[in-house]
Amino acid sequence: MAYHNQQFQGKVEKESQGVLSLSQQINAATREGHDIVNIMIMRRLSIGLRDYKLYREGILSFAHVYKAFEDAWMAAIAPGATTDVRIKHALQNLYSVPLLRTPQLIKDLEYFSEQKTYNLDMPKWPTGVGYVAHIKRVIAEKPHLVIAYAHNYYMALFAGGKILKYQISQAKGFFPQREKMTGEECEAAGTNLFSFEVPKGKEDMLRSGFKDALVDIQSTLTPEERTDIIEESKAIFKNNEQLILELDRICATMMPPPRPPPFQAEPRVFTLRDTGEMAFIRTYKFEILFVSVFCYAAVRLFFF
């Protein structure tokens, strides 16, 4: 009897909660991957804020990702596109120019590269090349997969963008010309990735509009298309993880190896952990603890 009562109670609770939205299904399916990638990014951000060249490599890798799916998105809704009318209409409703990150990332790359015009060509490292090729291929085959990329990459910025933007603006020695810049200029320069070009104070409206559009879209999707989007979302976090590991290898070559102790005959192999995390933690251990815990809590509260 107790078993049947538990079954009945569980059924009632499930029905009272209603069917999960597509956004909630994505979040539930990617929770583990999201946590892994979030921790990886927060650990490496502390290293990137010591040297803007390392930070530049980080945003460059993800700039190629944003460009790949944003270009594919615009192609899918362009006049004359052969996209299924139902999917095309859904993607048009989701599309909003202020959401696009490629123009903002180019501004950041121009700033940190000290170039007036930055050409965002194809990535030059194998993992990035493979990921960009994958994005182009799967969206060409299944345009509704744009929804997976838009949801995961924009919602992450909505969740923690303000916090990260402030933390970057406060990093000592991060900006190439910081001594010549005001506090307001520091807050604006190099942080365009986290800035949405909407009237001041309207960022929440952009976020809520995006979330509302996602809710409207889900009713037009077939069960198979929803499954495609959830599965691609899981693949996104796996690819993010591999992209970050590739960045470890790239950035390791950009930093001088530590001096070996006098008793050591051969210099030991340099790793990003050796020269990055430990040195930074010793200097800014309390700040890192606060920012990591606060950012992690903020993102989890927003998503889950």
Side-chain angles (χ1 to χ4, degrees):
M1 178 67 72
Y3 172 75
H4 289 295
N5 286 339
Q6 289 175 357
Q7 273 195 321
F8 176 78
Q9 183 64 29
K11 184 178 179 181
V12 169
E13 288 177 356
K14 186 175 181 180
E15 289 177 349
S16 66
Q17 292 170 356
V19 179
L20 291 177
S21 69
L22 177 59
S23 182
Q24 290 170 324
Q25 288 180 302
I26 292 172
N27 292 340
T30 60
R31 183 170 298 169
E32 182 179 356
H34 175 271
D35 289 349
I36 291 171
V37 170
N38 187 56
I39 291 170
M40 292 176 75
I41 289 175
M42 292 311 302
R43 285 177 175 172
R44 286 152 181 80
L45 180 63
S46 65
I47 301 171
L49 294 186
R50 297 175 63 222
D51 186 341
Y52 72 89
K53 294 177 183 177
L54 301 179
Y55 177 80
R56 181 182 64 203
E57 287 301 318
I59 63 172
L60 175 58
S61 289
F62 282 93
H64 290 297
V65 174
Y66 278 100
K67 186 176 189 300
F69 84 79
E70 288 178 347
D71 283 354
W73 188 357
M74 288 186 282
I77 62 175
T82 57
T83 309
D84 179 90
V85 174
R86 174 176 54 85
I87 298 298
K88 186 175 184 179
H89 182 66
L91 296 182
Q92 286 172 332
N93 287 341
L94 190 64
Y95 183 83
S96 174
V97 172
L99 285 173
L100 303 181
R101 297 296 86 200
T102 302
Q104 300 296 88
L105 278 159
I106 288 175
K107 290 178 186 177
D108 289 340
L109 291 167
E110 287 172 347
Y111 174 76
F112 288 115
S113 303
E114 298 182 349
Q115 297 180 12
K116 291 184 177 179
T117 303
Y118 193 96
N119 294 317
L120 192 59
D121 299 320
M122 286 292 296
K124 59 181 179 179
W125 303 106
T127 301
V129 170
Y131 190 17
V132 165
H134 169 82
I135 293 170
K136 292 179 177 180
R137 177 177 57 79
V138 298
I139 293 179
E141 295 172 357
K142 299 179 177 181
H144 56 275
L145 291 182
V146 166
I147 298 168
Y149 287 89
H151 176 277
N152 289 291
Y153 282 110
Y154 295 145
M155 293 293 268
L157 294 179
F158 285 139
K162 288 183 179 179
I163 299 169
L164 293 176
K165 179 179 179 180
Y166 175 78
Q167 194 64 24
I168 291 170
S169 71
Q170 299 301 305
K172 296 179 180 179
F174 179 65
F175 296 97
Q177 302 291 328
R178 187 178 185 114
E179 67 279 2
K180 300 178 182 179
M181 299 166 65
T182 66
E184 188 174 332
E185 288 172 333
C186 285
E187 198 168 330
T191 59
N192 291 287
L193 169 60
F194 310 106
S195 300
F196 294 91
E197 294 191 331
V198 294
K200 192 171 182 178
K202 301 294 184 181
E203 293 87 354
D204 288 342
M205 292 181 63
L206 180 66
R207 180 182 66 184
S208 60
F210 179 74
K211 293 175 70 176
D212 289 344
L214 281 173
V215 172
D216 292 339
I217 283 173
Q218 66 186 14
S219 63
T220 70
L221 300 171
T222 66
E224 291 77 13
E225 289 165 347
R226 289 169 67 105
T227 299
D228 288 342
I229 291 166
I230 292 167
E231 291 302 312
E232 187 65 20
S233 294
K234 291 192 283 188
I236 285 170
F237 283 97
K238 290 292 185 183
N239 283 315
N240 284 344
E241 188 175 343
Q242 293 305 309
L243 207 58
I244 294 168
L245 292 175
E246 182 176 68
L247 275 168
D248 285 354
R249 297 189 291 272
I250 296 169
C251 292
T253 65
M254 299 172 61
M255 300 174 67
R259 293 182 180 180
F263 59 82
Q264 196 169 356
E266 296 294 333
R268 61 195 179 95
V269 177
F270 165 76
T271 66
L272 191 61
R273 182 183 300 275
D274 291 333
T275 62
E277 291 185 15
M278 296 311 298
F280 191 85
I281 288 170
R282 284 195 296 271
T283 306
Y284 299 106
K285 51 184 176 294
F286 295 113
E287 289 88 344
I288 292 173
L289 178 63
F290 173 78
V291 172
S292 297
V293 172
F294 187 74
C295 289
Y296 182 71
V299 172
R300 282 192 66 84
L301 284 171
F302 183 85
F303 275 102
F304 307 112

